[in-house]
Amino acid sequence: PEPWARRVYMEAMAAGAILSEHKGRVMSLDFNGSGELMLSTGEDDRLCVYSCQSGQLQRAVQSPRYGVGIARFTHDPLSVICASRAGEAGAAGGAAGAAGGATGGGEGAHAIRYHSLHDNTYLRFFTGHTAPVLSLSVSPKDDVFASAAADETMRTWDLRVPGCLGVLRFPGSGRRPAVSFDPEGLVLAAGVGGNQVKLFDLRFASKGPFATFSVPGEPRDFASICFNFDGKLMLVGTAQGAAVSIDAFKGTELQTFRGHANKMGLPLEACFSADGAQVMSGSEDGKIWRWRTHDASLVAAQAGHRGPVTSVKCNPTRQLVASAGEEVCLWLPA
């Protein structure tokens, strides 16, 4: 049977905990691969790690020198990659080590930092982007990761190598990009240029994309792009008041998910539930919107935040959903 026919994923859910560790807007959310830990970053320049079992804060570090943008877990649950924030970041050059004992200099205002939370040190700085990094994705297979930035480039990296592995340039669009690996770590999807999704085989990435799909409709700012659990579907979250599901093999648009408020044009991330049965997105009115994947019918629009909800993430191994606005809310089956 199709994934949506096997079982219903959290047809009803209720807030299990509200986490108010950040002062100001929460910038990003992520779960590690085992689903045991959750990571949040905030405009207060803090990175916080929580236990998904207890909902308790496990670790918190401050990064005032470089600022904290989006962050993602690596395969080590206490090592993360984190984007710096322009305007609050340190000047290029000089000795690295704001967190204490870091190595490597010349990190730049838009560097991506490989940050060990074991001892609060920077293991490496990845430089090359010349504008804020807007999207990060770590391969589920190895130590390769990808980034996309407002400088209209996508770059691939390896945690073990200081230099950039490859660059894709998409000049002239002025649109927000997003990147994501498929569940096998073999394909990298890049939403670029306002209406294109490019697929790369990492084994032959230097040859360029093996497929390019056009997303119908007006040019869009890509808030997020992700695959479902078996890699057959892709989901694009946008700043234009809609999320779009795409056949990952044919490139055809399958469903458009609408209704959530976004007059402010915020980059609202969208995601699949862990079993692929639902699509979820935040909205500017503080609600979590959920639709059925196969027909875009509405499951619920549930209030939970005081302000805009820009990120919603599903735990990969538990029936647990996290949403981020001015605070982080954890949702459990009702």
Side-chain angles (χ1 to χ4, degrees), residues 171-245:
S173 72
R175 294 291 183 172
R176 184 184 180 101
V179 292
S180 179
F181 285 93
D182 81 322
E184 300 299 321
L186 296 176
V187 175
L188 175 64
V192 299
N195 59 4
Q196 289 188 328
V197 174
K198 296 180 179 290
L199 301 183
F200 296 83
D201 185 328
L202 289 184
R203 297 167 297 182
F204 312 105
S206 61
K207 297 182 179 181
F210 67 84
T212 298
F213 304 143
S214 294
V215 181
E218 62 179 333
R220 308 167 192 263
D221 291 291
F222 291 96
S224 62
I225 186 169
C226 65
F227 289 84
N228 72 333
F229 71 97
D230 61 7
K232 294 181 179 180
L233 303 179
M234 290 186 292
L235 180 67
V236 172
T238 75
Q240 279 70 42
V244 179
S245 61

Side-chain angles (χ1 to χ4, degrees), residues 61-255:
V61 298
Q62 197 84 26
S63 184
R65 179 178 177 183
Y66 302 103
V68 174
I70 57 175
R72 297 290 182 261
F73 280 110
T74 65
H75 295 291
D76 175 356
L78 286 180
S79 295
V80 304
I81 52 172
C82 181
S84 302
R85 284 208 293 154
E88 298 180 17
T103 59
E107 54 269 24
H110 305 291
I112 300 166
R113 289 166 285 129
Y114 184 14
H115 194 162
S116 170
L117 304 182
H118 291 278
D119 50 7
N120 195 24
T121 60
Y122 297 136
L123 304 176
R124 182 164 284 134
F125 289 83
F126 297 94
T127 62
H129 285 298
T130 58
V133 174
L134 303 174
S135 181
L136 287 172
S137 181
V138 177
S139 168
K141 182 180 180 181
D142 52 29
D143 289 327
V144 173
F145 71 95
S147 60
D151 60 6
E152 299 186 322
T153 67
M154 181 199 77
R155 294 173 180 264
T156 54
W157 318 80
D158 190 312
L159 291 172
R160 301 160 292 186
V161 180
C164 175
L165 300 180
V167 183
L168 168 67
R169 305 184 188 277
F170 41 96
S173 72
R175 294 291 183 172
R176 184 184 180 101
V179 292
S180 179
F181 285 93
D182 81 322
E184 300 299 321
L186 296 176
V187 175
L188 175 64
V192 299
N195 59 4
Q196 289 188 328
V197 174
K198 296 180 179 290
L199 301 183
F200 296 83
D201 185 328
L202 289 184
R203 297 167 297 182
F204 312 105
S206 61
K207 297 182 179 181
F210 67 84
T212 298
F213 304 143
S214 294
V215 181
E218 62 179 333
R220 308 167 192 263
D221 291 291
F222 291 96
S224 62
I225 186 169
C226 65
F227 289 84
N228 72 333
F229 71 97
D230 61 7
K232 294 181 179 180
L233 303 179
M234 290 186 292
L235 180 67
V236 172
T238 75
Q240 279 70 42
V244 179
S245 61
I246 301 168
D247 186 303
F249 296 101
K250 300 177 182 178
T252 53
E253 179 181 356
L254 299 176
Q255 300 291 341

Side-chain angles (χ1 to χ4, degrees), residues 198-327:
K198 296 180 179 290
L199 301 183
F200 296 83
D201 185 328
L202 289 184
R203 297 167 297 182
F204 312 105
S206 61
K207 297 182 179 181
F210 67 84
T212 298
F213 304 143
S214 294
V215 181
E218 62 179 333
R220 308 167 192 263
D221 291 291
F222 291 96
S224 62
I225 186 169
C226 65
F227 289 84
N228 72 333
F229 71 97
D230 61 7
K232 294 181 179 180
L233 303 179
M234 290 186 292
L235 180 67
V236 172
T238 75
Q240 279 70 42
V244 179
S245 61
I246 301 168
D247 186 303
F249 296 101
K250 300 177 182 178
T252 53
E253 179 181 356
L254 299 176
Q255 300 291 341
T256 299
F257 306 89
R258 299 183 182 275
H260 49 309
N262 194 18
K263 294 180 180 179
M264 299 165 62
L266 299 173
L268 301 181
E269 296 181 2
C271 70
F272 289 108
S273 59
D275 65 351
Q278 293 183 20
V279 164
M280 304 187 187
S281 174
S283 64
E284 67 179 14
D285 60 4
K287 294 179 180 178
I288 315 300
W289 283 66
R290 297 185 290 137
W291 302 265
R292 293 177 180 84
T293 302
H294 69 285
D295 64 1
S297 60
L298 184 65
V299 176
Q302 195 156 353
H305 290 265
R306 294 170 293 178
V309 181
T310 54
S311 182
V312 179
K313 291 290 175 67
C314 293
N315 188 294
T317 62
R318 300 168 180 263
Q319 286 198 335
L320 174 68
V321 175
S323 57
E326 294 293 316
E327 61 284 306

